[in-house]
Amino acid sequence: MPIPELEKPIIKGVIEKEKVVVDGIELDGTWNAFLVERTQTGYDPSVWDEIANTLEGVTISACWQCGTCTSGCTMREYDPNFGPRKFIDLARKGDKQALAELQDSLWRCVSCQKCTHRCPKGVMVEEVVHAIHNYALKHGLVKKDPGTVFDELFLDTVMKNGGRISELLLGSASAKAGFVTMSLRDLITMSVPLIKSGLIKDLLKPNKVKNWDRIKSVLEEAMKEEVRPE
């Protein structure tokens, strides 16, 4: 079909001919406009292969770029650069540079699952986006985002505290990472209700999981293994 007049100014590589004859029939108007053939090179196909070979990214190959995921994405209202379809397209091409340039957006998925539920091809979009982000982190294309840093702090706190969270240790680690402040005023504000409720004892001496040493060793071994789909 012909290229709409309103779209021509924003399409790069459009050429127009004064006279076009196809099968002996002379065409005119917008039928005389053509897009210059474009071949994209310099991309790395191993990006797609590696992502598709992870548990989260295994459904990426089913994507047909319809855009249903991006059109209903919650995060788009807050970050126009966030787009599941765009991320998947760049991963398909192996465009590492473009993924690196989107590092402030890649991690912003809030796992609302709208994209996954709406996908007509059954792509686990939310998981695929996380797989793309994890690939970028693994290969040093992007810096660690706040969510990843906090997840690591949380896991480290649980592992060191006998399988249960310690608000005191997590708060201290979060303050050190710059997520929260631990000023005297903040400490007083938090301490007063804790003392009144009697929860201060649990805060200072949190419970631990029974037989934690045995469980911990199993978890540490499991975390060393990279899970791949069959």
Side-chain angles (χ1 to χ4, degrees):
M1 62 181 297
I3 302 172
E5 294 291 342
L6 293 177
E7 292 185 5
K8 288 184 180 180
I10 63 174
I11 298 177
K12 296 181 180 180
V14 175
I15 57 174
E16 293 187 65
K17 297 182 178 181
E18 293 183 1
K19 183 177 181 180
V20 177
V21 178
V22 178
D23 294 334
I25 301 175
E26 183 177 342
L27 306 180
D28 59 7
T30 56
W31 291 100
N32 290 354
F34 300 87
L35 289 175
V36 177
E37 183 177 351
R38 293 169 291 176
T39 301
Q40 296 175 318
T41 59
Y43 296 133
D44 184 356
S46 68
V47 176
W48 177 274
D49 294 336
E50 184 172 335
I51 292 171
N53 198 36
T54 62
L55 190 63
E56 287 186 314
V58 69
T59 60
I60 190 173
S61 299
C63 174
W64 61 357
Q65 288 288 295
C66 69
T68 302
C69 53
T70 299
S71 66
C73 180
T74 303
M75 184 49 61
R76 292 278 296 172
E77 181 178 348
Y78 306 96
D79 183 359
N81 290 322
F82 187 92
R85 178 176 64 172
K86 176 165 55 179
F87 300 153
I88 293 175
D89 180 52
L90 293 176
R92 186 196 303 273
K93 295 173 181 176
D95 193 339
K96 297 180 181 179
Q97 180 60 38
L99 287 174
E101 292 173 356
L102 290 168
Q103 67 173 324
D104 291 333
S105 299
L106 269 174
W107 63 272
R108 292 185 180 275
C109 174
V110 295
S111 300
C112 69
Q113 298 290 351
K114 281 186 178 180
C115 53
T116 298
H117 287 295
R118 294 184 178 188
C119 179
K121 295 289 286 182
V123 178
M124 305 298 288
V125 183
E126 180 259 349
E127 294 184 4
V128 169
V129 169
H130 285 302
I132 295 172
H133 178 222
N134 289 338
Y135 172 89
L137 278 173
K138 176 182 177 182
H139 292 275
L141 300 177
V142 300
K143 61 185 178 182
K144 285 186 179 180
D145 57 273
T148 298
V149 174
F150 183 79
D151 287 346
E152 292 177 350
L153 291 178
F154 190 93
L155 178 60
D156 185 60
T157 300
V158 171
M159 295 297 286
K160 288 181 177 178
N161 192 57
R164 293 184 183 275
I165 191 62
S166 167
E167 289 82 358
L168 193 60
L169 291 177
L170 182 60
S172 177
S174 297
K176 187 176 181 180
F179 290 131
V180 296
T181 61
M182 293 291 278
S183 64
L184 180 60
R185 180 178 180 180
D186 292 333
L187 291 174
I188 293 174
T189 301
M190 291 186 292
S191 298
V192 172
L194 286 171
I195 293 174
K196 288 183 177 180
S197 64
L199 295 175
I200 190 68
K201 296 179 181 179
D202 294 328
L203 181 65
L204 298 175
K205 191 177 180 180
N207 295 323
K208 297 185 178 181
V209 174
K210 292 182 179 179
N211 301 317
W212 172 243
D213 291 338
R214 294 171 57 188
I215 298 174
K216 181 180 179 182
S217 61
V218 174
L219 289 175
E220 288 176 337
E221 286 300 318
M223 286 188 289
K224 292 178 182 178
E225 298 292 329
E226 183 175 1
V227 180
R228 294 182 181 275
E230 297 182 355

